[in-house]
Amino acid sequence: MRFSLAFSLSWLLASVCFADFPELFNTEPESEKSLMPADEAAAKMSVPEGFRVTAFAGEPDVQNPIDAAWDSRGRLWVAENYTYAERDQRFQLDLRDRIVIFGGTDQDQFTERTVFTDDVQMLTSVEVGRGGVWLMCPPQLIFIPDADHDDVPDNEGEVVLDGFKVADQNYHNFANGLRFGPDGWLYGRCGGSCPGRIGRPGTADEDRLAIEGGMWRYHPDTQAVEVLTTGTTNPWGHDWNDVGEAFFVNTVNGHLWHMIPGAHFTRPFTLDPNGKTYELIDFHADHWHFDTGQAWNMSRDGVANSYGGGHAHSGTMIYQGGTWPSQYRGRLFTLNFHGRRANQEILERDGSGYVAHHGKDTFLAADPWFRGMEITSGPDGNAFILDWSDAGECHEHTGVHRTSGRIFKVSHGSKIAAKPDLKTWSSLDLAKTVTDENVWYRRQAKIELASRRADGQDMSGVAAFLTDTLLTAPDAATEVQAQLMLHIIGKLNWGMNYKSEYARATEIRLAAEVFPIDDAFGPDWKQNRPSNQTQDELETLLTLITSAVEAADSPFVDLTIASCLQRLPVEKRASIAKLLSSHNVANDDHNLPLMIWYGLIPVAQTSPEQLVDVAKTCQYTTTLRLIARALAEKIDSDPEPISALLEYAAKKNDESYQHAVLAGVAQGLKGRRQAPRPQSWDSVVTITTPSLQPVVRELSVVFGDGRAMDELTDIVTGKVDADFEMRHAALETLIQSDAKNLRGICMNLLGDARMNVMAARGLSKFDDPEIGKTIVDRYQRFRAPQRPKVMSILVSRKSFALPMLDAIAKGKIQRKDLSAYQVRQLHGFNDPELSERVREVWGEVRDAPEAMAKQIEKLKSVLTDDYLAEADKSHGRSVFAKSCQNCHKLYGEGQKIGPDLTGANRGNLDYLLDNIVSPSSVVDKDFRMTLLLLDDGRVVSGLVTSENDNAVTIQTATELITLDKELVVQRKVTDKSPMPDGLLDQLTETDIRDLIGYLKHPSQVSMP
């Protein structure tokens, strides 16, 4: 029967009625003559001794393979994606994608090929099991039943979940990666640039889960859905080790992560969507696969062999096949996209979790078109590698080659004969795979056992066998796998005496899964969700957790408990967190301090007094500091908790503890002019520890202590011996607090070369044209590297801007000192007189798409390879430092407000010009420029990097500023990028040549 699946996208006008499979076409301009034949590519792949590689399948039998899955018969199901298109097209929706089944996986080449369906689009992943086939076709997860297993869809299928949006600004970080986990859940991944709100079709918006990059899962029986992690860039591969711990790979900002449910992981450019996380967990490897001081595009052609090949990774296999030599068992393999190889990661326990060490790279491809997508082991214990096979790289700037693709088989030893379809096995035989050395059989057996349980089959004999296996398990892996299999058939008993920490942690995790976990923003999404948990289930879970945490014998178990905090009712979290955080373990543990905090975030909102009790015995300085920060942010509405914590800290004779608390309070009140004085502050002022005096003094000013204000004034004016850093910090506090004599102090400091910029910032609080004239007259006396900050001050007020523009007109200030970014801010005053003066003196900012397109074409005609070869790259670096470095980092230097350009596609001139000339053409919501009108008349513009209820932090063109929200009269989020559209307009042709030449250069150069 023909199968037709119609699904809707917000921008797709109508469903498509499919007929014959459309003829494929290629847009990749590189000649197919450079494509190595599949057999030759297999023969030339470099592998360790004893291994062999064969071309299991190649074009035209397989093309554009994006994902693969296994069925119980040992066949490989491959998802072919043809609708992914080049950058300007995004998706080619007059084409379709398909699912192809390959048999004969115990042979070197396939023996049969079947098309399951060719009537889907935007297909990124496939998984098989539980009565059918699961497809990820963003924005939807689709299930197509095939109950009779005849490889023909039973009906049109159903949308199981939706909301996996493909962002307008990004079309390659979308949802992908369907895999059944060892616990019976269906797991998936999603890139951070395509945030979604997921749920069953028809779910109300307020009841949907926020996914903002990371891992998620769905249970076929209960229909429960969870967002497990938040963050990273573009995860595109995951697997589980033999004790049930998941790991996934990623691109750009770290390549390997331990999948800890509830974790908020680092993101490359943007803030975590939950502003109360404060800090994020970094990746779990001790190395990178490219030189972070170099451009990633220098990773091609083996240049970065010693690092691992490049920043992009696809596919993950933790080898547990039983066929390869024993040293490979438990090693994680991931395909390095640019390095054309498999990176080998050695997973090792470290503190509460794991760390990955770099093993020797393997399976190096000689074919320049090799683009590895997935690696997976099969029923004979050997691995299969999907090769997208294209001359282009990520983002498809050059086009797509749709008529190529390969599947390579990497084998070791003699061939292993195929076994019968697992669906024909008895349930007891399926259970016996729990100790099979080949994980493939165990995973397929679990999927089949789950189906039989759902069908109501008797599992008592299986349960007896697995329970006996569990009680007599010789190792942790057997113990955990027996647990998981018992859980899948619904026969796992709680409270058993487990030998290993892994089994104890697994028991808690499984008992907790009936309680939904917080999503990216916390527990609010659960408010309207009917509770399916009983009081007995909660008491069982709390008993297991309390018993384990009181034993205090395993940081690994502690990490599982910390993760499960986000599943507990909010009112139950503090008591468990108190026990966890009081453990005397490594204070610098990679995961625990922040995982405990993430579980406490909603407690800070609903019951902050409970956090004081947690803080009193907290051994993690990071957790303690963040508790203090959260309580300080609530000082206006609920002052008692922070006062109680400060009183306890003052009495505690522990400098480290006091420092953590005071640092947290300072962070929580950063930017505040004034805050209510805690009742216990007098006891804090008595602290005499020298290292704590500066923060005590600065906070005293915020709390309105006149004596502290006088002390800071003496420090600033030199009446007290103090170094520059202390004077600078003291002046910043006086400015923040609106000191009464601020104007006079700052005027006197304009002659101090080390203090004059901060003094000018203080003077900007006064709307007096004479001050503007004074700063303009002294402009050349400011050190050249600091003048951009001074210019930001001059554009913050009309009364300062007009004399500055007059000075430019008279040649006293160079026109190029006023950036296009700052010109945009001046226009933001909406003052006709000021805008006209800007146009007279500086000119227009290009913002018309047609003008930008013409500028790009003109620049492309000028910036030829020969012309760029003449570029003075050292001068280009100085242009970058002046024009770009305040927002972008390159080779470890600069600010990480916008994307880190070290890993950008800088070798591509089109990419550079599109982003420099027209950065606002498509701007992500997280990178829109914000205009702030302050109560003293100033206008500040930039990218908001963080905020809380009392303060907002904004990155301007020149500096990071934290402002009390009481100062903000009006706030406007524009549709513009903070990066100005006319950045190049102020540069000479030589400046442009040198800047582009520097940006395209693959390594750092010296300053002129």
Side-chain angles (χ1 to χ4, degrees):
M1 60 176 285
R2 289 295 299 171
F3 165 61
S4 179
L5 176 66
F7 60 96
S8 63
L9 300 172
S10 61
W11 38 266
L12 190 60
L13 297 180
S15 301
V16 181
C17 293
F18 297 121
D20 294 334
F21 197 69
E23 182 178 355
L24 301 177
F25 60 91
N26 300 317
T27 56
E28 166 61 54
E30 186 166 328
S31 170
E32 291 188 11
K33 293 180 180 179
S34 63
L35 174 63
M36 191 178 292
D39 288 334
E40 181 183 351
K44 290 185 175 180
M45 187 175 289
S46 176
V47 296
E49 184 178 356
F51 285 85
R52 66 181 184 279
V53 182
T54 57
F56 178 76
E59 64 277 342
D61 297 306
V62 64
Q63 297 171 141
N64 277 21
I66 196 170
D67 192 31
W70 295 96
D71 67 11
S72 61
R73 293 161 59 181
R75 299 182 303 171
L76 191 65
W77 294 57
V78 176
E80 295 181 330
N81 181 295
Y82 301 110
T83 51
Y84 184 69
E86 56 271 21
R87 185 180 181 185
D88 58 349
Q89 178 70 29
R90 289 168 58 88
F91 299 102
Q92 193 76 41
L93 294 179
D94 55 350
L95 297 178
R96 306 201 303 273
D97 304 325
R98 66 186 172 197
I99 302 293
V100 182
I101 311 168
F102 291 95
T105 57
D106 57 334
Q107 304 298 312
D108 289 339
Q109 294 181 330
F110 75 93
T111 57
E112 59 181 42
R113 176 182 179 275
T114 304
V115 175
F116 177 73
T117 180
D118 61 6
D119 285 357
V120 292
Q121 291 184 311
M122 295 174 63
L123 174 66
T124 66
S125 185
V126 59
E127 179 60 302
V128 182
R130 303 303 308 272
V133 182
W134 305 79
L135 306 179
M136 175 50 69
C137 298
Q140 298 167 333
L141 170 66
I142 299 167
F143 176 70
I144 303 175
D146 182 18
D148 55 5
H149 312 294
D150 64 351
D151 302 336
V152 177
D154 294 344
N155 57 44
E156 294 184 348
E158 67 168 314
V159 176
V160 177
L161 297 175
D162 58 19
F164 295 97
K165 182 182 178 182
V166 179
D168 294 337
Q169 300 84 7
N170 189 310
Y171 75 109
H172 53 267
N173 286 8
F174 36 59
N176 66 91
L178 302 178
R179 290 292 177 271
F180 276 112
D183 51 9
W185 290 71
L186 180 68
Y187 286 74
R189 310 179 294 260
C190 190
S193 298
C194 289
R197 299 296 179 266
I198 62 176
R200 296 280 298 168
T203 301
D205 291 346
E206 62 270 19
D207 298 330
R208 288 179 171 268
L209 289 87
I211 184 165
E212 301 269 346
M215 301 286 297
W216 57 273
R217 68 179 185 176
Y218 170 81
H219 201 288
D221 296 323
T222 65
Q223 299 185 350
V225 59
E226 296 185 334
V227 171
L228 296 173
T229 67
T230 298
T232 70
T233 307
N234 191 16
W236 204 279
H238 70 273
D239 201 358
W240 291 263
N241 68 4
D242 60 0
V243 291
E245 293 298 307
F247 299 83
F248 66 91
V249 298
N250 177 58
T251 65
V252 181
N253 68 316
H255 65 277
L256 191 146
W257 306 76
H258 180 197
M259 199 285 290
I260 307 169
H264 291 254
F265 293 131
T266 53
R267 309 165 73 84
F269 317 126
T270 60
L271 300 173
D272 189 89
N274 186 336
K276 299 299 182 181
T277 54
Y278 300 141
E279 297 174 12
L280 306 175
I281 298 173
D282 210 345
F283 73 123
H284 293 95
D286 62 2
H287 61 284
W288 297 80
H289 288 149
F290 67 107
D291 184 352
T292 55
Q294 305 286 332
W296 64 259
N297 52 24
M298 279 297 289
S299 298
R300 301 185 182 103
D301 303 319
V303 173
N305 275 356
S306 60
Y307 291 95
H311 79 289
H313 305 80
S314 298
T316 303
M317 175 188 71
I318 299 178
Y319 184 74
Q320 302 160 76
T323 300
W324 292 1
S326 59
Q327 68 261 30
Y328 295 106
R329 189 169 188 87
R331 299 285 179 89
L332 185 149
F333 294 85
T334 180
L335 302 171
N336 192 288
F337 202 72
H338 297 100
R340 301 196 296 273
R341 71 195 70 196
N343 296 132
Q344 184 179 177
E345 302 289 315
I346 303 170
L347 300 175
E348 181 181 79
R349 276 296 309 281
D350 180 56
S352 65
Y354 291 82
V355 64
H357 309 297
H358 192 184
K360 185 177 181 180
D361 294 340
T362 57
F363 317 141
L364 275 72
D367 180 9
W369 284 48
F370 179 80
R371 299 290 180 264
M373 295 299 297
E374 183 60 279
I375 179 169
T376 177
S377 64
D380 66 355
N382 291 309
F384 293 75
I385 297 175
L386 301 189
D387 176 12
W388 176 270
S389 189
D390 201 327
E393 293 184 344
C394 60
H395 304 186
E396 294 295 0
H397 292 291
T398 59
V400 182
H401 195 275
R402 296 183 173 92
T403 57
S404 55
R406 286 86 188 273
I407 304 172
F408 296 107
K409 183 176 181 180
V410 182
S411 305
H412 190 279
S414 58
K415 292 184 179 180
I416 299 175
K419 295 182 181 180
D421 184 354
L422 269 69
K423 291 187 181 299
T424 66
W425 293 20
S426 70
S427 294
L428 183 58
D429 285 337
L430 290 173
K432 290 178 180 179
T433 64
V434 73
T435 57
D436 199 298
E437 65 176 354
N438 187 348
V439 69
W440 185 91
Y441 287 99
R442 185 168 65 242
R443 290 178 176 175
Q444 289 298 320
K446 287 178 179 177
I447 295 172
E448 178 61 23
L449 285 171
S451 294
R452 294 183 186 185
R453 179 206 177 187
D455 291 340
Q457 295 188 27
D458 180 22
M459 292 288 169
S460 56
V462 174
F465 168 78
L466 290 173
T467 301
D468 182 65
T469 303
L470 180 62
L471 295 173
T472 60
D475 52 50
T478 304
E479 195 174 28
V480 170
Q481 294 304 327
Q483 269 184 308
L484 291 168
M485 200 170 281
L486 279 165
H487 181 66
I488 283 174
I489 64 172
K491 298 295 184 180
L492 180 62
N493 296 319
W494 309 120
M496 298 179 69
N497 186 23
Y498 294 109
K499 303 171 188 176
S500 72
E501 60 179 346
Y502 302 104
R504 297 198 300 275
T506 299
E507 179 183 42
I508 293 169
R509 182 179 299 151
L510 296 177
E513 72 175 22
V514 296
F515 300 90
I517 196 168
D518 296 353
D519 72 359
F521 292 94
D524 289 351
W525 75 275
K526 310 175 201 178
Q527 290 181 354
N528 299 322
R529 184 179 184 272
S531 177
N532 297 320
Q533 303 82 39
T534 67
Q535 185 63 31
D536 286 345
E537 287 175 318
L538 179 58
E539 290 178 0
T540 296
L541 176 60
L542 290 174
T543 298
L544 292 173
I545 288 176
T546 303
S547 176
V549 77
E550 287 178 346
D553 60 354
S554 169
F556 184 84
V557 175
D558 283 357
L559 181 60
T560 298
I561 297 171
S563 169
C564 290
L565 284 176
Q566 295 183 55
R567 297 184 180 277
L568 295 177
V570 174
E571 66 271 13
K572 300 291 185 182
R573 299 186 185 188
S575 59
I576 301 299
K578 179 179 175 65
L579 293 172
L580 270 180
S581 62
S582 64
H583 288 177
N584 187 19
V585 295
N587 201 17
D588 60 349
D589 187 87
H590 191 87
N591 311 299
L592 272 171
L594 287 175
M595 285 302 300
I596 294 171
W597 168 244
Y598 298 154
L600 290 173
I601 290 173
V603 181
Q605 304 306 307
T606 61
S607 305
E609 69 282 351
Q610 294 183 11
L611 293 187
V612 180
D613 194 41
V614 177
K616 287 180 178 179
T617 57
C618 184
Q619 298 296 308
Y620 294 110
T621 55
T622 295
T623 312
L624 176 61
R625 173 169 50 80
L626 298 182
I627 288 174
R629 176 176 177 175
L631 296 180
E633 290 180 358
K634 296 180 70 68
I635 197 169
D636 298 276
S637 60
D638 198 351
E640 289 81 7
I642 188 60
S643 181
L645 179 56
L646 287 168
E647 182 175 12
Y648 179 83
K651 295 177 181 178
K652 189 175 178 67
N653 187 24
D654 185 331
E655 181 179 347
S656 176
Y657 186 95
Q658 292 173 335
H659 183 272
V661 171
L662 290 171
V665 174
Q667 288 177 335
L669 299 179
K670 186 177 177 63
R672 297 285 302 270
R673 288 186 295 179
Q674 289 183 322
R677 181 186 179 91
Q679 291 184 353
S680 61
W681 189 248
D682 286 343
S683 61
V684 177
V685 173
T686 64
I687 296 175
T688 58
T689 307
S691 64
L692 301 177
Q693 284 299 296
V695 66
V696 171
R697 187 163 44 235
E698 291 164 13
L699 286 172
S700 292
V701 172
V702 177
F703 296 143
D705 189 330
R707 291 170 301 176
M709 189 81 77
D710 292 340
E711 291 175 9
L712 288 175
T713 301
D714 289 344
I715 291 172
V716 170
T717 57
K719 294 181 180 179
V720 175
D721 187 23
D723 58 23
F724 160 69
E725 287 78 11
M726 185 177 292
R727 291 183 65 206
H728 195 271
L731 179 56
E732 187 173 19
T733 302
L734 291 179
I735 294 171
Q736 177 180 305
S737 303
D738 283 338
K740 293 181 180 179
N741 53 348
L742 181 62
R743 177 168 179 163
I745 292 172
C746 290
M747 287 296 290
N748 291 333
L749 289 174
L750 283 178
D752 187 328
R754 294 182 300 175
M755 301 286 288
N756 56 5
V757 176
M758 183 61 71
R761 186 199 291 180
L763 289 171
S764 70
K765 298 173 77 73
F766 303 95
D767 190 10
D768 185 342
E770 291 302 317
I771 291 177
K773 292 178 182 177
T774 299
I775 296 174
V776 169
D777 290 342
R778 291 176 171 268
Y779 182 81
Q780 300 299 334
R781 300 182 190 179
F782 292 94
R783 291 186 298 124
Q786 299 297 319
R787 288 174 193 161
K789 294 181 181 180
V790 179
M791 185 59 72
S792 289
I793 292 168
L794 292 173
V795 300
S796 68
R797 291 187 179 280
K798 176 185 176 182
S799 59
F800 291 8
L802 289 173
M804 176 269 295
L805 292 169
D806 289 343
I808 292 177
K810 296 175 182 178
K812 295 181 178 180
I813 295 177
Q814 295 186 59
R815 175 185 174 275
K816 67 179 183 179
D817 284 7
L818 179 62
S819 71
Y821 179 103
Q822 292 159 336
V823 166
R824 184 189 292 163
Q825 179 171 321
L826 291 175
H827 286 303
F829 281 98
N830 295 317
D831 184 287
E833 177 191 3
L834 180 60
S835 293
E836 180 59 31
R837 186 58 172 153
V838 170
R839 283 188 283 269
E840 292 173 358
V841 173
W842 194 90
E844 295 280 359
V845 176
R846 300 174 190 263
D847 57 4
E850 299 81 6
M852 293 178 186
K854 290 180 180 178
Q855 186 183 19
I856 289 173
E857 289 304 313
K858 179 180 179 181
L859 287 168
K860 286 171 65 175
S861 68
V862 172
L863 296 171
T864 63
D865 290 343
D866 291 340
Y867 185 55
L868 288 174
E870 302 172 4
D872 181 345
K873 299 178 185 64
S874 292
H875 177 247
R877 181 180 175 184
S878 68
V879 175
F880 177 85
K882 177 178 175 58
S883 303
C884 315
Q885 199 163 287
N886 289 308
C887 292
H888 294 285
K889 182 173 285 188
L890 181 59
Y891 303 126
E893 298 181 2
Q895 299 298 317
K896 199 173 181 180
I897 302 304
D900 187 333
L901 300 183
T902 309
N905 190 15
R906 294 182 289 111
N908 187 307
L909 182 62
D910 289 332
Y911 173 88
L912 287 176
L913 294 179
D914 285 349
N915 282 277
I916 294 173
V917 175
S918 183
S920 295
S921 58
V922 181
V923 57
D924 189 277
K925 65 180 180 64
D926 294 315
F927 288 98
R928 293 172 182 166
M929 186 173 75
T930 296
L931 294 174
L932 301 179
L933 174 62
L934 306 186
D935 62 355
D936 59 11
R938 285 180 292 161
V939 170
V940 177
S941 66
L943 183 68
V944 172
T945 61
S946 66
E947 66 177 302
N948 55 41
D949 294 339
N950 301 307
V952 57
T953 300
I954 186 168
Q955 175 69 46
T956 72
T958 55
E959 58 190 330
L960 193 67
I961 300 175
T962 300
L963 298 165
D964 193 321
K965 281 189 174 179
E966 291 184 352
L967 298 175
V968 180
V969 175
Q970 186 177 350
R971 176 173 179 167
K972 179 182 178 182
V973 180
T974 73
D975 60 357
K976 297 289 188 180
S977 166
M979 183 173 173
D981 293 334
L983 181 67
L984 298 182
D985 292 351
Q986 60 185 313
L987 303 181
T988 66
E989 183 176 309
T990 300
D991 288 339
I992 295 172
R993 179 200 66 186
D994 294 348
L995 174 63
I996 299 298
Y998 170 65
L999 289 172
K1000 286 175 64 71
H1001 192 61
S1003 59
Q1004 185 60 287
V1005 299
S1006 60
M1007 288 291 282

